Amino acid sequence: MDTCKRSLGVLIGALAVGMTGVQSAHADPLVPPTPAEISFLDQARRVFAASHNPAAFRSDGQLLSDGWYACDKRAAGFVGTEATLVTPALTQLAFIYLCP
């Protein structure tokens, strides 16, 4: 019985350690996108398809959250890929379509 408890403890510990490196999943938006968000996503898909950028495989929710993040950082005075870690094409499209 003691070895069973020990094995169970090791298994739970291994699962906990294995789950610490897992990234959270980005879900698609729950509300319908606005016309500006639709234009942003459409242009982002076109640019990424033409440039063969791996960001083209991101979901709409992740692209939108990256775009809104770039807008928030711009309002705080942080602009550029080094400051926001958002691709330049996505940042420019966010400035055009999403930022007020």
Side-chain angles (χ1 to χ4, degrees):
M1 185 70 176
D2 189 37
T3 58
C4 183
K5 286 182 183 179
R6 193 173 303 146
S7 297
L8 182 61
V10 169
L11 177 64
I12 290 173
L15 286 174
V17 169
M19 294 299 286
T20 57
V22 176
Q23 293 181 354
S24 62
H26 292 277
D28 286 330
L30 296 176
V31 295
T34 64
E37 291 174 336
I38 292 172
S39 297
F40 168 77
L41 291 170
D42 183 44
Q43 290 299 322
R45 296 286 180 210
R46 288 182 186 180
V47 168
F48 290 152
S51 64
H52 304 290
N53 192 324
F57 297 106
R58 295 181 184 164
S59 70
D60 288 349
Q62 187 173 7
L63 290 174
L64 281 174
S65 75
D66 286 348
W68 284 115
Y69 177 77
C71 289
D72 290 342
K73 289 299 178 183
R74 177 183 174 190
F78 299 104
V79 180
T81 304
E82 293 82 16
T84 61
L85 302 177
V86 177
T87 62
L90 203 61
T91 301
Q92 289 299 318
L93 290 171
F95 291 169
I96 294 168
Y97 292 103
L98 298 179
C99 298

